Amino acid sequence: MDAISFSDQSPSIEIGPISTSSFPNLLKGYEQGKIAILVDENTHYHCLEFLITTFDTLREAEIIEVPSGEQSKDLAICTQLWHSLTESNFGRHDLLINLGGGVVSDLGGFVASVYKRGIPFINVPTSLLGMLDAAIGSKNGIDFLGFKNQLGSFTPALRTFVDVNWLHTLPQKEWLNGYAELLKHSLIYDAILWEELLLIDTIEKELTAAQIKRGIDIKNEIVAQDPLEKGLRKILNFGHTIGHAIEAYYLETDKPLSHGHAVAIGMLLEAHLSLQLSGLQLSDFQQIKEVVLNKFSLHLPSDKSLIWQLMQHDKKNREGQIRMSLLAAVGECKFDQHVKFVEFEQAYDSIAALK
Ligand code: GLY
């Protein structure tokens, strides 16, 4: 994977090798305090040793491990983490480092944002999903009562260090998990990136660091215009209204779907709704369908009413209505689009017929 320079970047995000980044300087500010590193078993095994042997300040860091997977975005796990921080007498001058994928940064950011009304945290995303989405943009959260990200806050990380070298430790399904978000970023904002992604066959071999950086820049550009999701930022949720409901459905089964996989299926359904409601051309829908079905197997629960019910808790809803972000064209997305059950049903039945 090609290297990226440090120029032209948002000051809170650095993209490039972590060893030559401002990370060690930032750590210096915490030499007199305590540092904890949150990992899951995968990043404990693949990433932690590099971090603590490269940066002397981290040799004495407390390591806190949670099980990998969405199930860790849970209040009981938060309680355990707050317990650990309290036992170690962590305070506002101490530091939490979230070393992992989307689950680790969502969970660690939430735990840090609430503990003692907020302690500083740094995100070191190690997965494509974490780099492109979860670890940037200040959102954190956990799932609650079967609903995705039901509890959470907008709290910025002190800094996020994106080093694509971590990606070499990823299994193929994790590449796919993040790739879905990159496809989404291109569909809502950058038709040229979409055209480039269409040419990619083997993601882990062909995706370039420049394309990952473009994905991060797209998210940053959108978040900078609307940090608290009052309007434009909602377009980052294309595919997520239905995708989150599908993800929540499968989380309760013995065959959970990854976030990216659920979002890919959500994008297919929401692209169909875009065809019906927001002006997407049939040829663009056909292309989206081909890309999604080429990369992701189609899982759709037969009970569409249950999916509709799960969608009732989506954070974009207003006045009891489902509001989605839908495509007007490739590279252009409209937010606050009212979708009725009959329209959802039509899209759902059409996509289910593809199975
Ligand atoms: N993941 C969507 C957002 O950060 O707004």
Side-chain angles (χ1 to χ4, degrees), residues 6 11 13-14 16-31 35-37 47-48 50-59 61 95-99 121-125 158-163 166:
F6 276 91
I13 301 175
E14 288 187 25
I18 193 165
S19 46
T20 51
S21 71
S22 69
F23 186 64
N25 262 345
L26 204 56
L27 293 180
K28 276 205 179 90
Y30 296 90
E31 267 170 358
I35 300 179
I37 307 176
C47 310
L48 185 64
F50 172 81
L51 206 70
I52 52 187
T53 54
T54 307
F55 304 104
D56 277 349
T57 319
L58 297 180
R59 282 181 195 275
L95 176 71
L96 178 69
I97 298 173
N98 298 321
L99 177 67
F121 64 97
I122 288 175
N123 286 334
V124 181
L158 197 58
R159 208 162 298 171
T160 296
F161 294 93
V162 176
D163 181 347
W166 298 115

Side-chain angles (χ1 to χ4, degrees), residues 330-341:
V330 168
E332 194 189 330
C333 191
K334 295 179 177 173
F335 55 87
D336 282 344
Q337 301 295 295
H338 178 200
V339 176
K340 301 194 198 79
F341 180 73

Side-chain angles (χ1 to χ4, degrees), residues 28-311:
K28 276 205 179 90
Y30 296 90
E31 267 170 358
Q32 307 308 318
K34 291 183 277 289
I35 300 179
I37 307 176
L38 181 65
V39 290
D40 64 20
E41 70 271 16
N42 297 321
T43 54
H44 198 157
Y45 182 73
H46 291 289
C47 310
L48 185 64
E49 189 181 344
F50 172 81
L51 206 70
I52 52 187
T53 54
T54 307
F55 304 104
D56 277 349
T57 319
L58 297 180
R59 282 181 195 275
E60 302 299 316
E62 181 176 339
I63 310 304
I64 308 178
E65 185 182 314
V66 293
S68 61
E70 185 72 19
Q71 279 84 354
S72 280
K73 286 173 57 176
D74 181 75
L75 205 49
I77 301 268
C78 292
T79 305
Q80 285 170 22
L81 299 185
W82 288 318
H83 224 279
S84 300
L85 295 175
T86 304
E87 270 178 0
S88 309
N89 197 18
F90 253 67
R92 286 184 178 165
H93 299 285
D94 302 320
L95 176 71
L96 178 69
I97 298 173
N98 298 321
L99 177 67
V103 168
V104 167
S105 55
D106 274 355
L107 172 70
F110 178 64
V111 163
S113 71
V114 174
Y115 178 76
K116 294 193 177 172
R117 296 204 181 92
I119 60 168
F121 64 97
I122 288 175
N123 286 334
V124 181
T126 56
S127 72
L128 188 57
L129 181 77
M131 292 176 191
L132 285 164
D133 193 20
I136 55 177
S138 303
K139 276 187 187 173
N140 59 58
I142 59 166
D143 306 334
F144 187 61
L145 300 180
F147 301 109
K148 289 271 304 167
N149 301 325
Q150 186 82 339
L151 306 178
S153 71
F154 289 93
T155 308
L158 197 58
R159 208 162 298 171
T160 296
F161 294 93
V162 176
D163 181 347
V164 293
N165 289 310
W166 298 115
L167 296 177
H168 299 302
T169 66
L170 281 191
Q172 204 251 352
K173 75 176 185 24
E174 272 306 319
W175 281 91
L176 267 178
N177 197 11
Y179 193 64
E181 293 289 353
L182 188 58
L183 289 175
K184 179 208 70 186
H185 284 25
S186 68
L187 282 172
I188 60 171
Y189 208 73
D190 187 341
I192 294 172
L193 178 62
W194 170 253
E195 293 292 327
E196 284 178 29
L197 298 180
L198 286 180
L199 305 175
I200 290 183
D201 187 24
T202 312
I203 303 165
E204 57 275 36
K205 292 203 182 112
E206 294 167 50
L207 186 66
T208 67
Q211 286 162 338
I212 296 173
K213 181 177 183 304
R214 179 64 193 135
I216 293 169
D217 287 345
I218 289 171
K219 174 147 185 185
N220 275 333
E221 278 173 43
I222 295 169
V223 171
Q225 294 171 67
D226 178 21
L228 298 180
E229 202 174 294
K230 304 283 187 214
L232 181 71
R233 185 170 178 165
K234 293 178 194 171
I235 68 172
L236 284 166
N237 270 290
F238 170 64
H240 283 63
T241 310
I242 304 178
H244 270 161
I246 290 175
E247 187 183 359
Y249 173 88
Y250 282 109
L251 265 176
E252 298 297 319
T253 71
D254 57 0
K255 289 199 178 65
L257 277 190
S258 72
H259 174 72
H261 196 151
V263 164
I265 297 167
M267 286 196 290
L268 185 52
L269 286 153
E270 293 183 21
H272 197 287
L273 282 163
S274 305
L275 195 60
Q276 297 176 46
L277 301 175
S278 57
L280 185 71
Q281 298 288 307
L282 182 61
S283 55
D284 289 334
F285 168 73
Q286 299 286 16
Q287 202 174 47
I288 295 167
K289 185 177 82 181
E290 263 168 49
V291 172
V292 169
L293 295 182
N294 181 12
K295 295 273 185 291
F296 301 89
S297 50
L298 185 57
H299 292 261
L300 266 189
S302 52
D303 189 351
K304 58 187 171 237
S305 300
L306 180 55
I307 297 302
W308 181 255
Q309 208 178 308
L310 285 164
M311 287 159 54

